[in-house]
Amino acid sequence: MNGQASFTLRGRNPDVLTCIANLSNDEVFTPPDFANRMLDTLAEAWSADHHGASIWADPNVTFLDPCTKSGVFLREITSRLAKGLAGAIPDLRDRVDHILTRQVFGIGITRLTAMLARRSLYCSKQADGEHSIASSFNTEDGHVWFERTEHAWNKGKCVHCGASQSTLDRGEDRETHAYAFIHTDNIKARIAELFGGDMQFDVIIGNPPYQLDDGGFGASAIPIYNKFVEQAQALEPRYLTMVIPARWLFGGRGLDEFRKSMLTDERIRQLFDYPDSRQVFPSVDVAGGICYFLWDRDNPGTCRIIEMNHDLSNSESSRPLLENGAEVFVRSHVALSVLKKVVSVETSQIQSLGLPEAKRFDQQVSSQKPFGLRTYFRGASSPSKENDLVVLQSGGRAWTSRAEITAGQELIDKWKVFTSKSSSEHAGQFDKNGQRRVLSKSGVIPPGSVVTETYILLGTYDNETEARNCFTYATTKFFRFLVATRSSAQDLAKSAYSFVPIQDFSQPWSDRDLYVKYGLSEEEIAHIEKLIRPMSASDD
């Protein structure tokens, strides 16, 4: 090949792309084995839609990674095409050159990653260099494009991605993180500028950046992966597959419209759901887990959902992403079955009692700062005539005065069931036994007591009996299973309790009582018992 590197993109020992460190938790490199899992899913769908034909044997299929980092998708696609096109283009040099110049395209997210992607794909940081395995390029970049892009600032925010000007407007010597693919109002015109006006991609694949600092308090950040998905859809490829955080399925800041659009889009034909991101990215913890999906433009229908369990076994079901009456995705088919039984029993009960609607637990859970006290509030170390209220605060109990209470004064002299606003584990994570506790520090506090925003109130009552009976319910595996089914973040907002029905708290509750009341099957009971760790009604 005239001194050029031979075409051996795989099988090297070691494969540097399995060892490379992530840029950050927001820009995560895709492991080669996972990239190949996604490509297998794509290939199976293509074959099913094309009468058994192989996508890797078609010399006209075009691929785009609009957010390439290590170049792993482009490299693995090229490797597969090099094998699949051997019959159509027998000469290896001609075959590789055809693939790299006519079929495989990428957009780097930074200058560094663009160089890395070219090195992975062309075996040279210069596509037209003497060591490049491509022979027809006349530019260094080849088809891995990168140019510095600037944010479009308006009133301190970028109009395209929402980034904070004070955070990312930091001079020409540092990366802007203004990703070209999402910093345009007309993505089709932008792609025409980059790769030619007649370019139409059959497949768009990638692992986009997940979020950007928005300049808010602490670690405040806004998601941006949704913008990559939306731009890719606007290009109308035949197939779209991306690996993204799974939090959009249930919640997430600024994701309501995106979630509604995606969950009602019947072109999403496959969803692979990993509740623990470490199942895919061993060194990266993404709250709520990660997922990848396959969007099939010309073949709408029911979605095939593959749920990855803690032990890496999986469960599969075929169902809509959005069930009737639901606002979010129900992650587990077992949880969906339990929820349907809960709704059935509650519906029958309200009909028999002539009630207007079933009550859900989120209707009685307090908002954050139930008494107006911030997390950093610290009360007095001992009581006094003025400081006569017990305050449950971060780090323990203290004392404060009624004058400090700016909200919820009517709740001060009630019995209160409380829990930490944060779950006991990072969202979606399991302990070493594959279980979750869900609720963290919880308990019952008497009249004359308040809490800071470290805690929320699960309920307030006029007598101790009802409060303690409510707490027995909150500590059941059934209750915490329903909370876990609805939540996707470490902080448990009111919405996390919206799947939980309210009970009659003139009596205590146990899991046995609840399993019988809702007619759960042995399989459903076993699933809950296996997933949720025991929690005593005396825990606090």
Side-chain angles (χ1 to χ4, degrees), residues 299-450:
N299 188 29
T302 302
C303 187
R304 173 184 174 231
I305 299 168
I306 297 87
E307 310 161 27
M308 305 305 298
N309 301 317
H310 177 70
D311 59 2
L312 290 182
S313 63
N314 65 74
S315 304
E316 184 174 327
S317 59
S318 182
R319 56 187 173 94
L321 287 172
L322 191 64
E323 296 288 335
N324 288 334
E327 296 180 350
V328 297
F329 175 70
V330 179
R331 198 162 210 166
S332 161
H333 73 281
V334 177
L336 179 60
S337 176
V338 171
L339 284 172
K340 287 181 176 180
K341 290 182 176 181
V342 169
V343 170
S344 177
V345 170
E346 295 298 315
T347 300
S348 297
Q349 185 174 2
I350 65 172
Q351 289 175 346
S352 65
L353 296 175
L355 300 175
E357 62 179 8
K359 291 185 177 180
R360 292 284 179 264
F361 220 80
D362 61 318
Q363 296 171 294
Q364 72 171 44
V365 172
S366 72
S367 60
Q368 293 185 10
K369 294 186 293 184
F371 295 99
L373 302 176
R374 299 300 303 271
T375 297
Y376 50 77
F377 176 84
R378 292 295 179 269
S381 59
S382 60
S384 65
K385 183 178 180 180
E386 179 179 300
N387 295 319
D388 61 341
L389 298 182
V390 175
V391 56
L392 187 63
Q393 61 187 29
S394 178
R397 298 177 189 242
W399 298 83
T400 190
S401 69
R402 291 177 184 259
E404 294 281 358
I405 308 305
T406 60
Q409 288 92 342
E410 73 279 6
L411 306 178
I412 294 175
D413 294 316
K414 290 181 177 289
W415 285 88
K416 293 165 282 287
V417 182
F418 74 89
T419 190
S420 172
K421 73 172 183 179
S422 298
S423 64
S424 64
E425 57 271 309
H426 201 44
Q429 284 193 4
F430 302 85
D431 65 17
K432 62 182 180 180
N433 297 316
Q435 292 184 307
R436 295 180 61 189
R437 177 176 170 177
V438 186
L439 298 186
S440 188
K441 181 178 177 66
S442 308
V444 177
I445 52 177
S449 57
V450 295

Side-chain angles (χ1 to χ4, degrees), residues 160-388:
H160 296 296
C161 70
S164 165
Q165 184 173 7
S166 62
T167 301
L168 290 178
D169 190 9
R170 51 192 188 176
E172 295 184 1
D173 59 330
R174 301 181 69 182
E175 288 286 354
T176 64
H177 298 287
Y179 306 113
F181 192 65
I182 63 174
H183 280 72
T184 176
D185 293 322
N186 189 332
I187 186 58
K188 288 187 176 181
R190 187 67 171 129
I191 289 296
E193 292 174 6
L194 302 186
F195 300 118
D198 59 348
M199 180 57 66
Q200 173 64 42
F201 294 104
D202 297 292
V203 176
I204 298 180
I205 186 170
N207 177 11
Y210 294 163
Q211 63 184 32
L212 279 178
D213 187 338
D214 70 349
F217 178 76
S220 179
I222 52 173
I224 58 169
Y225 58 88
N226 52 307
K227 298 182 183 296
F228 281 87
V229 175
E230 290 166 342
Q231 290 284 63
Q233 290 172 328
L235 285 175
E236 301 178 294
R238 179 67 176 82
Y239 298 94
L240 166 63
T241 181
M242 286 187 170
V243 52
I244 58 178
R247 189 172 175 183
W248 68 271
L249 292 164
F250 327 97
R253 177 184 175 191
L255 294 173
D256 289 349
E257 289 301 318
F258 177 72
R259 177 169 55 256
K260 181 178 179 180
S261 173
M262 291 283 281
L263 292 182
T264 56
D265 190 342
E266 293 188 343
R267 293 168 295 183
I268 298 180
R269 297 305 312 278
Q270 297 190 57
L271 176 72
F272 291 76
D273 181 22
Y274 296 79
D276 189 338
S277 63
R278 296 171 300 180
Q279 294 172 307
V280 175
F281 308 123
S283 62
V284 179
D285 182 7
V286 180
I290 64 99
C291 67
Y292 77 89
F293 64 89
L294 180 74
W295 183 89
D296 187 337
R297 184 192 67 197
D298 300 332
N299 188 29
T302 302
C303 187
R304 173 184 174 231
I305 299 168
I306 297 87
E307 310 161 27
M308 305 305 298
N309 301 317
H310 177 70
D311 59 2
L312 290 182
S313 63
N314 65 74
S315 304
E316 184 174 327
S317 59
S318 182
R319 56 187 173 94
L321 287 172
L322 191 64
E323 296 288 335
N324 288 334
E327 296 180 350
V328 297
F329 175 70
V330 179
R331 198 162 210 166
S332 161
H333 73 281
V334 177
L336 179 60
S337 176
V338 171
L339 284 172
K340 287 181 176 180
K341 290 182 176 181
V342 169
V343 170
S344 177
V345 170
E346 295 298 315
T347 300
S348 297
Q349 185 174 2
I350 65 172
Q351 289 175 346
S352 65
L353 296 175
L355 300 175
E357 62 179 8
K359 291 185 177 180
R360 292 284 179 264
F361 220 80
D362 61 318
Q363 296 171 294
Q364 72 171 44
V365 172
S366 72
S367 60
Q368 293 185 10
K369 294 186 293 184
F371 295 99
L373 302 176
R374 299 300 303 271
T375 297
Y376 50 77
F377 176 84
R378 292 295 179 269
S381 59
S382 60
S384 65
K385 183 178 180 180
E386 179 179 300
N387 295 319
D388 61 341

